[in-house]
Amino acid sequence: MNAVSATGCLPLLSRLVLEADTSSLLLSSDRVASESQQEAIARSVSTYGPQEIGDLWVLANSHHVIMRSFPRLHSVMKQAGNPSSEPMERAIEKERARIDHALSFLTPICATLSTAGRVVVIKSLDHWPDFGSDIDLYTNADSSEVVALMAREFQARLEERSWGDRLANKWNFIVPGLPELVEVHVGRLGQTGEQVAITNSLVKHAHPENFGRHTFVVPAAEDRLMITTLQRMYRHFYLRLCDIADTTRLADSDAIDYEYLHSLADPAGLWDGLATYLETVSGYVKQYRGFGLDLPPLVTDAARFGADLVHFRRKFLRIPIFPQAAGLYMAEWRQLLLNGEWLNALRLSLLPGLAAAAAIELKLTGSDKGIW
């Protein structure tokens, strides 16, 4: 980045997103101070030129917080008479149109696949009013029916499946007219498809919610956190600002039943990772609004580390892999064995080799697509 580094952009976006999302929780005096601080931040951004705005947009897009940050920045820049406000407005409208377009496809896709089994939209709508870079669905339908329906009703073709896709039992569909891939997880969750039992809760507690003019079936708060933890702490090993904002919103709204969450995560071997994720989010949020999440001892006592071990590198907040994330992996693997889930434990045992192969492929070719 040029005038504004990625390291400098993230705190700016964090303040805009997290403080705006939680201002209603503050006391009157604290709210005034928070709003004053946000205005000072916005005023500094109001003088940005095209290069700085472009850099900020790239990072916000990577963290899926465009619609939670840029409309307000645009308002401030417009009031300041900054000429960059006009192209920013067009960019915001383009992003809004992308989201509307994706939702217009998602509605018939969900309706069609629901004729074969239950369908739940996972991950993609967690960031609302922002939207993910692809469309993720979970279904308990038969995979052959899913493939046949997508081909027949939407002329979709399958993207080539990687080793990881096959283990995870997921399919990526390229749908004509839809820029985003449609990723369908069938009957399993987790990087290697090792998690099966937790899908029962996902299907049982999924419920309809409104998103603009559309209604979709989405996971309950506890299942959302399970899926987010699997993705962040056991697969990608980094956090995005959208994950932090989404989780904060759930916690602040008292939507999480922590006892029930423990009853789901502990038998799956994911409780330590989930508690660590929540503690890390809490610590990060505290840096920007002065207080973290209201987590019970059940969570904080189980957390293995917090935000102090998470560092910004290569655009994201990185989770330390050795020994921290590796320890979480071993705890999951051990619990699957104790559960007698031998085949699922075997699937998970393939993860280190898969990760190593992906790293080598990335180094040699610049892409790990065929593996990861």
mmCIF file of all heavy atoms in Angstrom, residues 1-2 4-6 8-14 16 41 44-46 48-63 65-66 69-70 73-74 77 88:
data_model
loop_
_atom_site.group_PDB
_atom_site.id
_atom_site.type_symbol
_atom_site.label_atom_id
_atom_site.label_comp_id
_atom_site.label_asym_id
_atom_site.label_seq_id
_atom_site.Cartn_x
_atom_site.Cartn_y
_atom_site.Cartn_z
ATOM 1 N N MET A 1 0.824 -1.191 0.000
ATOM 2 C CA MET A 1 0.000 0.000 0.000
ATOM 3 C C MET A 1 0.867 1.254 0.000
ATOM 4 O O MET A 1 1.991 1.227 0.456
ATOM 5 C CB MET A 1 -0.939 -0.017 1.202
ATOM 6 C CG MET A 1 -2.053 -1.055 1.063
ATOM 7 S SD MET A 1 -3.324 -0.830 2.300
ATOM 8 C CE MET A 1 -4.480 -2.066 1.769
ATOM 9 N N ASN A 2 0.279 2.333 -0.434
ATOM 10 C CA ASN A 2 1.035 3.546 -0.657
ATOM 11 C C ASN A 2 0.968 4.457 0.563
ATOM 12 O O ASN A 2 1.683 4.293 1.527
ATOM 13 C CB ASN A 2 0.488 4.259 -1.895
ATOM 14 C CG ASN A 2 1.590 4.908 -2.684
ATOM 15 O OD1 ASN A 2 2.724 4.963 -2.265
ATOM 16 N ND2 ASN A 2 1.249 5.384 -3.859
ATOM 17 N N VAL A 4 -1.378 4.779 2.783
ATOM 18 C CA VAL A 4 -1.949 4.123 3.949
ATOM 19 C C VAL A 4 -1.586 2.655 3.894
ATOM 20 O O VAL A 4 -1.968 1.949 2.969
ATOM 21 C CB VAL A 4 -3.486 4.271 3.979
ATOM 22 C CG1 VAL A 4 -4.040 3.667 5.256
ATOM 23 C CG2 VAL A 4 -3.883 5.730 3.870
ATOM 24 N N SER A 5 -0.840 2.173 4.869
ATOM 25 C CA SER A 5 -0.428 0.774 4.870
ATOM 26 C C SER A 5 -1.587 -0.114 5.284
ATOM 27 O O SER A 5 -2.554 0.328 5.903
ATOM 28 C CB SER A 5 0.741 0.560 5.830
ATOM 29 O OG SER A 5 0.314 0.732 7.159
ATOM 30 N N ALA A 6 -1.479 -1.414 4.946
ATOM 31 C CA ALA A 6 -2.495 -2.377 5.368
ATOM 32 C C ALA A 6 -2.577 -2.415 6.882
ATOM 33 O O ALA A 6 -3.660 -2.529 7.462
ATOM 34 C CB ALA A 6 -2.159 -3.755 4.812
ATOM 35 N N GLY A 8 -2.077 0.009 8.883
ATOM 36 C CA GLY A 8 -2.806 1.184 9.334
ATOM 37 C C GLY A 8 -4.274 1.149 8.984
ATOM 38 O O GLY A 8 -5.102 1.719 9.700
ATOM 39 N N CYS A 9 -4.612 0.487 7.901
ATOM 40 C CA CYS A 9 -6.006 0.410 7.468
ATOM 41 C C CYS A 9 -6.859 -0.427 8.409
ATOM 42 O O CYS A 9 -8.025 -0.104 8.658
ATOM 43 C CB CYS A 9 -6.092 -0.187 6.065
ATOM 44 S SG CYS A 9 -5.700 0.953 4.724
ATOM 45 N N LEU A 10 -6.317 -1.522 8.926
ATOM 46 C CA LEU A 10 -7.125 -2.433 9.731
ATOM 47 C C LEU A 10 -7.651 -1.774 11.006
ATOM 48 O O LEU A 10 -8.848 -1.906 11.310
ATOM 49 C CB LEU A 10 -6.350 -3.703 10.060
ATOM 50 C CG LEU A 10 -7.205 -4.787 10.729
ATOM 51 C CD1 LEU A 10 -8.248 -5.320 9.759
ATOM 52 C CD2 LEU A 10 -6.342 -5.923 11.248
ATOM 53 N N PRO A 11 -6.831 -1.052 11.775
ATOM 54 C CA PRO A 11 -7.393 -0.366 12.946
ATOM 55 C C PRO A 11 -8.488 0.633 12.568
ATOM 56 O O PRO A 11 -9.483 0.771 13.288
ATOM 57 C CB PRO A 11 -6.181 0.332 13.555
ATOM 58 C CG PRO A 11 -5.022 -0.480 13.120
ATOM 59 C CD PRO A 11 -5.361 -0.932 11.738
ATOM 60 N N LEU A 12 -8.296 1.322 11.450
ATOM 61 C CA LEU A 12 -9.292 2.284 10.999
ATOM 62 C C LEU A 12 -10.624 1.585 10.721
ATOM 63 O O LEU A 12 -11.687 1.999 11.205
ATOM 64 C CB LEU A 12 -8.786 2.994 9.739
ATOM 65 C CG LEU A 12 -9.774 3.907 9.015
ATOM 66 C CD1 LEU A 12 -10.182 5.049 9.920
ATOM 67 C CD2 LEU A 12 -9.163 4.420 7.733
ATOM 68 N N LEU A 13 -10.579 0.488 9.961
ATOM 69 C CA LEU A 13 -11.789 -0.268 9.663
ATOM 70 C C LEU A 13 -12.386 -0.871 10.928
ATOM 71 O O LEU A 13 -13.607 -0.906 11.099
ATOM 72 C CB LEU A 13 -11.487 -1.372 8.656
ATOM 73 C CG LEU A 13 -11.175 -0.928 7.229
ATOM 74 C CD1 LEU A 13 -10.703 -2.114 6.392
ATOM 75 C CD2 LEU A 13 -12.396 -0.283 6.574
ATOM 76 N N SER A 14 -11.519 -1.355 11.818
ATOM 77 C CA SER A 14 -12.000 -1.961 13.062
ATOM 78 C C SER A 14 -12.803 -0.970 13.880
ATOM 79 O O SER A 14 -13.870 -1.291 14.421
ATOM 80 C CB SER A 14 -10.820 -2.481 13.880
ATOM 81 O OG SER A 14 -10.123 -3.504 13.192
ATOM 82 N N LEU A 16 -14.339 1.778 12.838
ATOM 83 C CA LEU A 16 -15.577 2.144 12.151
ATOM 84 C C LEU A 16 -16.636 1.054 12.301
ATOM 85 O O LEU A 16 -17.801 1.340 12.568
ATOM 86 C CB LEU A 16 -15.298 2.387 10.667
ATOM 87 C CG LEU A 16 -14.567 3.681 10.337
ATOM 88 C CD1 LEU A 16 -14.082 3.671 8.897
ATOM 89 C CD2 LEU A 16 -15.477 4.879 10.579
ATOM 90 N N ILE A 41 -11.876 10.128 13.157
ATOM 91 C CA ILE A 41 -11.349 9.154 12.191
ATOM 92 C C ILE A 41 -11.890 9.454 10.805
ATOM 93 O O ILE A 41 -11.153 9.485 9.817
ATOM 94 C CB ILE A 41 -11.738 7.721 12.610
ATOM 95 C CG1 ILE A 41 -11.054 7.350 13.924
ATOM 96 C CG2 ILE A 41 -11.353 6.721 11.522
ATOM 97 C CD1 ILE A 41 -11.600 6.068 14.536
ATOM 98 N N SER A 44 -10.296 12.424 9.120
ATOM 99 C CA SER A 44 -8.962 12.169 8.575
ATOM 100 C C SER A 44 -9.049 11.440 7.244
ATOM 101 O O SER A 44 -8.251 11.675 6.338
ATOM 102 C CB SER A 44 -8.129 11.356 9.575
ATOM 103 O OG SER A 44 -8.618 10.035 9.688
ATOM 104 N N VAL A 45 -10.048 10.568 7.111
ATOM 105 C CA VAL A 45 -10.226 9.821 5.863
ATOM 106 C C VAL A 45 -10.824 10.712 4.780
ATOM 107 O O VAL A 45 -10.636 10.457 3.596
ATOM 108 C CB VAL A 45 -11.127 8.588 6.105
ATOM 109 C CG1 VAL A 45 -11.411 7.849 4.806
ATOM 110 C CG2 VAL A 45 -10.478 7.642 7.099
ATOM 111 N N SER A 46 -11.523 11.762 5.186
ATOM 112 C CA SER A 46 -12.212 12.617 4.219
ATOM 113 C C SER A 46 -11.258 13.288 3.241
ATOM 114 O O SER A 46 -11.659 13.746 2.176
ATOM 115 C CB SER A 46 -13.042 13.680 4.944
ATOM 116 O OG SER A 46 -12.196 14.619 5.594
ATOM 117 N N TYR A 48 -8.625 11.674 1.929
ATOM 118 C CA TYR A 48 -7.963 10.630 1.138
ATOM 119 C C TYR A 48 -8.213 10.827 -0.351
ATOM 120 O O TYR A 48 -9.302 11.238 -0.765
ATOM 121 C CB TYR A 48 -8.466 9.245 1.533
ATOM 122 C CG TYR A 48 -7.862 8.676 2.801
ATOM 123 C CD1 TYR A 48 -7.125 9.458 3.674
ATOM 124 C CD2 TYR A 48 -8.042 7.333 3.124
ATOM 125 C CE1 TYR A 48 -6.580 8.936 4.833
ATOM 126 C CE2 TYR A 48 -7.507 6.795 4.280
ATOM 127 C CZ TYR A 48 -6.780 7.598 5.134
ATOM 128 O OH TYR A 48 -6.251 7.067 6.270
ATOM 129 N N GLY A 49 -7.201 10.490 -1.132
ATOM 130 C CA GLY A 49 -7.338 10.511 -2.580
ATOM 131 C C GLY A 49 -7.664 9.121 -3.107
ATOM 132 O O GLY A 49 -7.825 8.172 -2.339
ATOM 133 N N PRO A 50 -7.736 8.972 -4.440
ATOM 134 C CA PRO A 50 -8.112 7.687 -5.051
ATOM 135 C C PRO A 50 -7.214 6.526 -4.625
ATOM 136 O O PRO A 50 -7.704 5.413 -4.417
ATOM 137 C CB PRO A 50 -7.986 7.970 -6.550
ATOM 138 C CG PRO A 50 -8.186 9.441 -6.672
ATOM 139 C CD PRO A 50 -7.572 10.040 -5.444
ATOM 140 N N GLN A 51 -5.902 6.759 -4.507
ATOM 141 C CA GLN A 51 -4.994 5.674 -4.137
ATOM 142 C C GLN A 51 -5.285 5.160 -2.723
ATOM 143 O O GLN A 51 -5.396 3.954 -2.497
ATOM 144 C CB GLN A 51 -3.540 6.147 -4.217
ATOM 145 C CG GLN A 51 -2.504 5.098 -3.806
ATOM 146 C CD GLN A 51 -2.475 3.915 -4.746
ATOM 147 O OE1 GLN A 51 -2.362 4.083 -5.952
ATOM 148 N NE2 GLN A 51 -2.586 2.710 -4.198
ATOM 149 N N GLU A 52 -5.436 6.092 -1.780
ATOM 150 C CA GLU A 52 -5.691 5.694 -0.403
ATOM 151 C C GLU A 52 -7.046 5.012 -0.256
ATOM 152 O O GLU A 52 -7.174 4.001 0.439
ATOM 153 C CB GLU A 52 -5.626 6.913 0.534
ATOM 154 C CG GLU A 52 -4.241 7.532 0.675
ATOM 155 C CD GLU A 52 -3.975 8.606 -0.363
ATOM 156 O OE1 GLU A 52 -4.754 8.702 -1.337
ATOM 157 O OE2 GLU A 52 -2.997 9.346 -0.204
ATOM 158 N N ILE A 53 -8.051 5.564 -0.935
ATOM 159 C CA ILE A 53 -9.384 4.962 -0.876
ATOM 160 C C ILE A 53 -9.358 3.566 -1.496
ATOM 161 O O ILE A 53 -9.969 2.626 -0.992
ATOM 162 C CB ILE A 53 -10.424 5.847 -1.596
ATOM 163 C CG1 ILE A 53 -10.624 7.154 -0.821
ATOM 164 C CG2 ILE A 53 -11.744 5.108 -1.757
ATOM 165 C CD1 ILE A 53 -11.184 6.972 0.568
ATOM 166 N N GLY A 54 -8.626 3.419 -2.593
ATOM 167 C CA GLY A 54 -8.515 2.112 -3.241
ATOM 168 C C GLY A 54 -7.861 1.086 -2.334
ATOM 169 O O GLY A 54 -8.297 -0.072 -2.260
ATOM 170 N N ASP A 55 -6.816 1.513 -1.628
ATOM 171 C CA ASP A 55 -6.143 0.604 -0.701
ATOM 172 C C ASP A 55 -7.068 0.185 0.434
ATOM 173 O O ASP A 55 -7.098 -0.989 0.829
ATOM 174 C CB ASP A 55 -4.898 1.287 -0.113
ATOM 175 C CG ASP A 55 -3.812 1.525 -1.148
ATOM 176 O OD1 ASP A 55 -3.853 0.858 -2.202
ATOM 177 O OD2 ASP A 55 -2.921 2.366 -0.903
ATOM 178 N N LEU A 56 -7.819 1.148 0.947
ATOM 179 C CA LEU A 56 -8.750 0.855 2.031
ATOM 180 C C LEU A 56 -9.859 -0.084 1.558
ATOM 181 O O LEU A 56 -10.267 -1.001 2.268
ATOM 182 C CB LEU A 56 -9.352 2.164 2.552
ATOM 183 C CG LEU A 56 -10.129 2.109 3.873
ATOM 184 C CD1 LEU A 56 -9.224 1.674 5.012
ATOM 185 C CD2 LEU A 56 -10.752 3.472 4.168
ATOM 186 N N TRP A 57 -10.318 0.131 0.332
ATOM 187 C CA TRP A 57 -11.386 -0.709 -0.240
ATOM 188 C C TRP A 57 -10.908 -2.150 -0.397
ATOM 189 O O TRP A 57 -11.651 -3.088 -0.073
ATOM 190 C CB TRP A 57 -11.820 -0.147 -1.592
ATOM 191 C CG TRP A 57 -12.915 -0.930 -2.251
ATOM 192 C CD1 TRP A 57 -12.808 -2.094 -2.953
ATOM 193 C CD2 TRP A 57 -14.302 -0.606 -2.242
ATOM 194 N NE1 TRP A 57 -14.030 -2.512 -3.391
ATOM 195 C CE2 TRP A 57 -14.969 -1.614 -2.968
ATOM 196 C CE3 TRP A 57 -15.048 0.452 -1.714
ATOM 197 C CZ2 TRP A 57 -16.358 -1.606 -3.166
ATOM 198 C CZ3 TRP A 57 -16.423 0.462 -1.913
ATOM 199 C CH2 TRP A 57 -17.057 -0.558 -2.620
ATOM 200 N N VAL A 58 -9.689 -2.328 -0.875
ATOM 201 C CA VAL A 58 -9.158 -3.678 -1.071
ATOM 202 C C VAL A 58 -9.138 -4.446 0.246
ATOM 203 O O VAL A 58 -9.548 -5.620 0.315
ATOM 204 C CB VAL A 58 -7.743 -3.623 -1.694
ATOM 205 C CG1 VAL A 58 -7.071 -4.994 -1.631
ATOM 206 C CG2 VAL A 58 -7.818 -3.147 -3.139
ATOM 207 N N LEU A 59 -8.683 -3.805 1.305
ATOM 208 C CA LEU A 59 -8.628 -4.489 2.595
ATOM 209 C C LEU A 59 -10.032 -4.744 3.138
ATOM 210 O O LEU A 59 -10.323 -5.837 3.652
ATOM 211 C CB LEU A 59 -7.825 -3.663 3.600
ATOM 212 C CG LEU A 59 -7.507 -4.408 4.903
ATOM 213 C CD1 LEU A 59 -6.560 -5.571 4.650
ATOM 214 C CD2 LEU A 59 -6.916 -3.465 5.941
ATOM 215 N N ALA A 60 -10.921 -3.762 3.014
ATOM 216 C CA ALA A 60 -12.300 -3.938 3.492
ATOM 217 C C ALA A 60 -13.000 -5.061 2.740
ATOM 218 O O ALA A 60 -13.779 -5.828 3.314
ATOM 219 C CB ALA A 60 -13.078 -2.633 3.333
ATOM 220 N N ASN A 61 -12.697 -5.186 1.459
ATOM 221 C CA ASN A 61 -13.295 -6.250 0.661
ATOM 222 C C ASN A 61 -12.782 -7.616 1.111
ATOM 223 O O ASN A 61 -13.545 -8.583 1.205
ATOM 224 C CB ASN A 61 -12.971 -6.025 -0.819
ATOM 225 C CG ASN A 61 -13.709 -6.987 -1.717
ATOM 226 O OD1 ASN A 61 -14.923 -7.145 -1.617
ATOM 227 N ND2 ASN A 61 -12.979 -7.647 -2.610
ATOM 228 N N SER A 62 -11.491 -7.701 1.426
ATOM 229 C CA SER A 62 -10.923 -8.960 1.907
ATOM 230 C C SER A 62 -11.556 -9.381 3.227
ATOM 231 O O SER A 62 -11.673 -10.574 3.509
ATOM 232 C CB SER A 62 -9.405 -8.820 2.103
ATOM 233 O OG SER A 62 -8.752 -8.543 0.890
ATOM 234 N N HIS A 63 -11.963 -8.396 4.019
ATOM 235 C CA HIS A 63 -12.548 -8.683 5.337
ATOM 236 C C HIS A 63 -14.078 -8.634 5.328
ATOM 237 O O HIS A 63 -14.702 -8.737 6.386
ATOM 238 C CB HIS A 63 -12.004 -7.698 6.367
ATOM 239 C CG HIS A 63 -10.597 -7.971 6.772
ATOM 240 N ND1 HIS A 63 -10.251 -8.567 7.963
ATOM 241 C CD2 HIS A 63 -9.419 -7.753 6.121
ATOM 242 C CE1 HIS A 63 -8.938 -8.701 8.046
ATOM 243 N NE2 HIS A 63 -8.404 -8.205 6.940
ATOM 244 N N VAL A 65 -16.331 -6.217 4.864
ATOM 245 C CA VAL A 65 -16.954 -5.155 5.665
ATOM 246 C C VAL A 65 -17.211 -3.900 4.823
ATOM 247 O O VAL A 65 -17.315 -2.801 5.365
ATOM 248 C CB VAL A 65 -16.104 -4.799 6.917
ATOM 249 C CG1 VAL A 65 -16.095 -5.941 7.916
ATOM 250 C CG2 VAL A 65 -14.684 -4.395 6.528
ATOM 251 N N ILE A 66 -17.326 -4.052 3.530
ATOM 252 C CA ILE A 66 -17.576 -2.902 2.648
ATOM 253 C C ILE A 66 -18.837 -2.148 3.071
ATOM 254 O O ILE A 66 -18.818 -0.927 3.274
ATOM 255 C CB ILE A 66 -17.720 -3.360 1.181
ATOM 256 C CG1 ILE A 66 -16.386 -3.884 0.638
ATOM 257 C CG2 ILE A 66 -18.252 -2.220 0.319
ATOM 258 C CD1 ILE A 66 -15.351 -2.824 0.403
ATOM 259 N N SER A 69 -18.774 -0.164 6.428
ATOM 260 C CA SER A 69 -17.797 0.899 6.644
ATOM 261 C C SER A 69 -17.873 2.007 5.594
ATOM 262 O O SER A 69 -17.840 3.197 5.931
ATOM 263 C CB SER A 69 -16.380 0.307 6.674
ATOM 264 O OG SER A 69 -16.087 -0.388 5.474
ATOM 265 N N PHE A 70 -18.004 1.645 4.332
ATOM 266 C CA PHE A 70 -17.867 2.649 3.279
ATOM 267 C C PHE A 70 -19.058 3.593 3.111
ATOM 268 O O PHE A 70 -18.853 4.755 2.750
ATOM 269 C CB PHE A 70 -17.505 1.973 1.954
ATOM 270 C CG PHE A 70 -16.011 1.883 1.760
ATOM 271 C CD1 PHE A 70 -15.271 0.930 2.440
ATOM 272 C CD2 PHE A 70 -15.346 2.765 0.926
ATOM 273 C CE1 PHE A 70 -13.902 0.855 2.292
ATOM 274 C CE2 PHE A 70 -13.970 2.711 0.773
ATOM 275 C CZ PHE A 70 -13.247 1.753 1.458
ATOM 276 N N LEU A 73 -18.235 6.405 5.414
ATOM 277 C CA LEU A 73 -17.080 7.158 4.927
ATOM 278 C C LEU A 73 -17.472 8.024 3.731
ATOM 279 O O LEU A 73 -17.029 9.157 3.607
ATOM 280 C CB LEU A 73 -15.953 6.200 4.542
ATOM 281 C CG LEU A 73 -15.285 5.446 5.688
ATOM 282 C CD1 LEU A 73 -14.224 4.500 5.136
ATOM 283 C CD2 LEU A 73 -14.668 6.410 6.680
ATOM 284 N N HIS A 74 -18.312 7.464 2.884
ATOM 285 C CA HIS A 74 -18.767 8.223 1.723
ATOM 286 C C HIS A 74 -19.526 9.475 2.155
ATOM 287 O O HIS A 74 -19.345 10.569 1.600
ATOM 288 C CB HIS A 74 -19.664 7.362 0.838
ATOM 289 C CG HIS A 74 -20.416 8.144 -0.186
ATOM 290 N ND1 HIS A 74 -21.749 8.499 -0.033
ATOM 291 C CD2 HIS A 74 -20.011 8.695 -1.364
ATOM 292 C CE1 HIS A 74 -22.131 9.201 -1.078
ATOM 293 N NE2 HIS A 74 -21.105 9.341 -1.895
ATOM 294 N N MET A 77 -17.024 12.108 3.344
ATOM 295 C CA MET A 77 -16.245 12.652 2.239
ATOM 296 C C MET A 77 -17.095 13.565 1.363
ATOM 297 O O MET A 77 -16.629 14.605 0.885
ATOM 298 C CB MET A 77 -15.651 11.516 1.411
ATOM 299 C CG MET A 77 -14.598 10.721 2.159
ATOM 300 S SD MET A 77 -13.880 9.407 1.163
ATOM 301 C CE MET A 77 -12.985 10.359 -0.059
ATOM 302 N N MET A 88 -16.569 6.634 -5.156
ATOM 303 C CA MET A 88 -16.848 5.749 -4.036
ATOM 304 C C MET A 88 -18.324 5.384 -4.005
ATOM 305 O O MET A 88 -18.687 4.225 -3.746
ATOM 306 C CB MET A 88 -16.453 6.413 -2.716
ATOM 307 C CG MET A 88 -16.646 5.484 -1.509
ATOM 308 S SD MET A 88 -16.453 6.304 0.085
ATOM 309 C CE MET A 88 -14.682 6.589 0.072
#
